């Protein structure tokens, strides 16, 4: 089985969002797309699948095993979903049915499910166990961590045996161990003769998968070739910049001296207390996530909560924010955090924006209520390298990376005293991640607000934070 994408162009109100003239995918050889957030990587995946959002126009053809499909005609490919081609989505929490337990919705994709449900359930349990999330079988999606939800979505996408697998940011939110397990599964799909198209910001995943790598920027492909060539000795200036943007190499003014014990101190030990926790504990379903945690957060503090997927990082953060009640201990906030001065950046930014409301209207509500300095929104859009035309679209019409940066802008607009950032750059390429963190950290430095960062990326945690709390689960 081979797949050939020809003359693929995606536009929105006359603006070209994707322009890929020729892309060939062969069975048994991985193809990985890396590059700039908003360059059209995810649009390519949805155009091939026939799942482009409303308002986006497409032209071109997808040829699968000699059968040609017009990408403008989306219905024709629906009969291929699950058994010929499958998409592992970038937003797993939104892709999973919130009303169904995990085992049931994974089992529905099994070939035997509709004739033998017990067989389908057994197949679901087997694949969930292979992915290390067997314990999630009887849970609902909203109780899963981001990394666990990603693995459950992977199980649902692959259980039907589709030979063409399109994986959109499959390693997002996964710790190193789970990421290595995922890499093994993707390799297994390739070596079994499948077609694999992976879209990722994880350059190490691209190196591990091998095969070919395409680098995208400004809606097109700027470099392509074998993975060992493109990701080790690139020829295009943008690719070289991409490889140089790893967090451990950042040299910005806000990066404090990591050789002077900065990870053990706070910015202002004598400052007023914003949040105080006293021996808090929390668990779910008989499992203790953390216990006896006592923290003090003051203006200017930078605290990172780091650890593997499902360890309880986000849960601890929600307890700090008083969005969850601890099972034991207490959490106290200063009164100054009221009125929007405490802001949360969600791991899945799509859940934080009204799905049918233009982004500009949602941001206008924030501007009207909190009255930032004139021109502040425009300057933040420029700093984040976001075009103002994005404000006319709904959340489903922008990339995950663009929506993540827009959620950071919304938080900064209210001039907060404390920002809780749950994987705030997980959908961004390395260059955009660096630029976005610079914009966020310059706000932190300018206003003296506190930052609590949740991340599974140890390099990012130690680059950004003064204190790193390991949450082991």
């Amino acid at each position: 089985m081979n797949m050939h994408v020809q003359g693929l162009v995606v536009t929105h109100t006359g603006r070209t969002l994707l322009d890929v003239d020729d892309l060939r995918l062969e069975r048994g050889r991985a193809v990985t797309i890396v590059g700039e957030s908003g360059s059209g990587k995810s649009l390519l995946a949805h155009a091939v699948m026939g799942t482009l959002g409303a308002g986006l126009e497409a032209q071109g053809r997808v040829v699968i095993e000699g059968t040609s499909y017009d990408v403008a005609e989306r219905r024709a490919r629906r009969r291929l979903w699950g058994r010929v081609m499958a998409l592992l989505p970038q937003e797993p929490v939104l892709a999973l049915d919130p009303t169904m337990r995990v085992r049931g919705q994974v089992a529905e994709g099994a070939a035997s499910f509709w004739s033998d449900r017990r067989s389908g359930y057994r197949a679901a349990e087997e694949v969930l166990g292979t992915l290390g999330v067997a314990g999630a079988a009887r849970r609902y999606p909203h109780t899963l961590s981001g990394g666990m939800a990603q693995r459950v979505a992977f199980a649902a996408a692959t259980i039907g045996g589709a030979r063409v697998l399109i994986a959109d940011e499959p390693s997002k939110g996964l710790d190193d161990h789970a990421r290595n397990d995922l890499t093994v599964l993707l390799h297994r799909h390739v070596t079994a003769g499948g077609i694999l198209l992976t879209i990722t910001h994880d350059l190490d995943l691209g190196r591990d998968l091998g095969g070919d790598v395409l680098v995208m920027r400004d809606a097109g492909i700027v470099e392509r070739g074998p993975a060992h060539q493109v990701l080790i000795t690139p020829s295009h200036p943008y690719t070289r910049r991409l490889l140089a943007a790893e967090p451990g190499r950042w040299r910005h003014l806000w990066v404090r001296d990591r050789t002077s014990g900065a990870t053990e101190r706070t910015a202002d030990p004598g400052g007023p207390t914003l949040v105080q926790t006293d021996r808090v504990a929390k668990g779910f379903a008989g499992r203790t996530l953390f216990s006896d945690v006592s923290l003090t957060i003051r203006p200017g503090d930078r605290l990172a909560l780091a650890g593997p997927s499902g360890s309880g990082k986000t849960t601890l953060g929600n307890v700090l924010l008083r969005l969850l009640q601890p099972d034991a201990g207490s959490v106290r906030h200063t009164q100054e955090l009221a009125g929007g001065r405490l802001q949360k950046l969600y791991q899945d930014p799509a859940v934080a924006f009204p799905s049918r409301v233009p982004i500009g209207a949602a941001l206008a509500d924030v501007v009207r209520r909190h009255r930032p300095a004139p021109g502040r929104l425009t300057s933040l859009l420029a700093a984040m390298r976001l075009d103002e035309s994005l404000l006319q679209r709904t959340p489903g019409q922008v990339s995950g990376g663009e929506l993540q940066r827009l959620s950071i802008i919304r938080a900064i607009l209210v001039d907060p005293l404390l920002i809780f950032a749950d994987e705030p750059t997980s959908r961004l390429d390395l260059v955009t991640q660096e630029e976005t963190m610079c914009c966020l950290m310059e706000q932190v430095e300018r206003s003296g607000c506190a930052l609590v960062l949740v991340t599974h990326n140890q390099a990012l945690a130690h680059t950004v934070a003064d204190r790193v709390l390991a949450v082991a689960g």
Side-chain angles (χ1 to χ4, degrees):
M1 175 184 287
N2 296 315
M3 185 167 76
H4 188 192
V5 179
Q6 304 170 330
L8 179 58
V9 178
V10 177
T11 60
H12 178 261
T13 61
R15 180 188 174 200
T16 299
L17 304 179
L18 174 67
D19 188 350
V20 174
D21 183 60
D22 183 81
L23 173 61
R24 296 178 183 271
L25 297 101
E26 301 176 356
R27 57 183 301 173
R29 185 169 180 83
V31 174
T32 303
I33 300 179
V34 301
E36 190 174 41
S37 297
S39 62
K41 302 185 301 298
S42 293
L43 286 179
L44 190 153
H46 286 287
V48 170
M49 285 292 296
T51 54
L52 281 173
L56 299 177
E57 299 179 357
Q59 63 183 54
R61 307 200 72 80
V62 177
V63 182
I64 302 175
E65 282 195 319
T67 302
S68 180
Y69 298 90
D70 183 350
V71 296
E73 177 48 60
R74 306 176 191 187
R75 292 180 177 271
R77 277 159 289 165
R78 289 185 180 179
R79 62 183 179 82
L80 306 179
W81 293 353
R83 62 183 186 85
V84 175
M85 58 197 304
L87 173 67
L88 179 61
Q90 187 179 125
E91 304 287 352
V93 170
L94 298 181
L96 297 171
D97 186 338
T99 68
M100 291 182 65
R101 296 182 191 272
V102 163
R103 186 184 70 161
Q105 56 187 306
V106 172
E108 282 188 342
S112 61
F113 178 77
W114 298 107
S115 60
D116 183 355
R117 295 203 171 192
R118 287 186 179 181
S119 174
Y121 288 137
R122 285 196 299 269
E125 289 171 352
E126 180 179 348
V127 70
L128 289 170
T130 302
L131 289 169
V133 286
R138 289 171 172 78
R139 293 171 62 178
Y140 289 98
H142 73 274
T143 69
L144 305 177
S145 72
M148 293 173 71
Q150 182 66 284
R151 280 173 276 173
V152 169
F154 182 87
T158 58
I159 196 172
R163 306 311 302 155
V164 179
L165 177 61
I166 302 175
D168 192 357
E169 293 291 354
S171 63
K172 173 180 59 62
L174 300 184
D175 59 83
D176 289 343
H177 179 74
R179 177 193 165 281
N180 291 338
D181 289 344
L182 173 70
T183 304
V184 170
L185 290 170
L186 294 176
H187 267 301
R188 187 184 304 169
H189 180 81
V190 174
T191 55
I195 291 175
L196 176 65
L197 175 62
T198 304
I199 295 163
T200 185
H201 295 309
D202 185 346
L203 300 187
D204 285 335
L205 178 61
R207 294 186 183 101
D208 291 343
L209 291 175
D212 296 317
V213 168
L214 286 67
V215 182
M216 290 189 65
R217 190 184 190 198
D218 295 332
I221 298 170
V222 298
E223 184 169 359
R224 68 172 80 196
H228 64 82
Q229 173 187 312
V230 174
L231 297 180
I232 297 176
T233 57
S235 60
H236 195 277
Y238 173 73
T239 311
R240 292 196 292 269
R241 172 71 181 94
L242 190 65
L243 298 180
E246 297 173 307
R249 302 182 183 183
W250 294 354
R251 295 294 181 269
H252 302 290
L253 293 176
W254 53 264
V255 177
R256 293 173 185 157
D257 185 3
R258 291 185 291 272
T259 65
S260 63
T263 57
E264 300 299 327
R265 64 178 173 83
T266 59
D268 181 9
T273 298
L274 298 176
V275 177
Q276 178 78 57
T277 72
D278 183 23
R279 306 187 68 177
V280 296
K282 188 68 178 178
F284 286 108
R287 176 193 169 203
T288 299
L289 294 175
F290 52 83
S291 61
D292 203 27
V293 176
S294 297
L295 291 169
T296 300
I297 300 174
R298 298 183 174 92
D301 277 355
R302 305 181 195 168
L303 170 66
L305 307 179
S309 302
S311 62
K313 303 184 299 295
T314 297
T315 300
L316 176 55
N318 285 333
V319 168
L320 292 177
L321 269 60
R322 298 199 303 196
L323 297 175
L324 280 177
Q325 283 283 2
D327 295 336
S330 62
V331 181
R332 296 187 297 276
H333 284 188
T334 179
Q335 183 124 15
E336 293 179 348
L337 288 177
R341 304 301 300 281
L342 187 160
Q343 288 289 307
K344 177 176 179 178
L345 300 173
Y346 288 85
Q347 185 175 5
D348 291 303
V351 305
F353 282 88
S355 61
R356 299 183 180 182
V357 176
I359 294 167
L363 292 177
D365 289 340
V366 176
V367 170
R368 277 192 297 270
R369 177 167 182 176
H370 295 277
R371 300 187 180 278
R376 179 71 169 146
L377 175 57
T378 299
S379 65
L380 287 172
L381 287 168
M384 295 281 191
R385 290 196 301 116
L386 294 173
D387 194 290
E388 289 195 45
S389 65
L390 293 177
L391 302 183
Q392 301 171 20
R393 303 185 202 171
T394 61
Q397 295 173 330
V398 302
S399 74
E402 289 167 335
L403 196 59
Q404 202 156 33
R405 282 177 281 167
L406 286 162
S407 69
I408 291 174
I409 288 175
R410 186 175 65 177
I412 291 176
L413 280 173
V414 308
D415 197 21
L417 287 175
L418 172 62
I419 296 176
F420 173 68
D422 192 354
E423 299 282 7
T425 59
S426 61
R427 289 160 179 76
L428 306 181
D429 64 82
L430 289 173
V431 173
T432 309
Q433 172 182 259
E434 182 178 4
E435 294 171 347
T436 300
M437 286 306 300
C438 274
C439 188
L440 176 60
M441 296 309 298
E442 285 166 3
Q443 163 70 12
V444 169
E445 289 284 283
R446 180 181 67 84
S447 65
C449 77
L451 173 71
V452 177
L453 172 70
V454 169
T455 182
H456 69 283
N457 187 325
Q458 291 288 337
L460 182 63
H462 286 279
T463 297
V464 169
D466 297 319
R467 293 179 290 163
V468 178
L469 177 62
V471 183

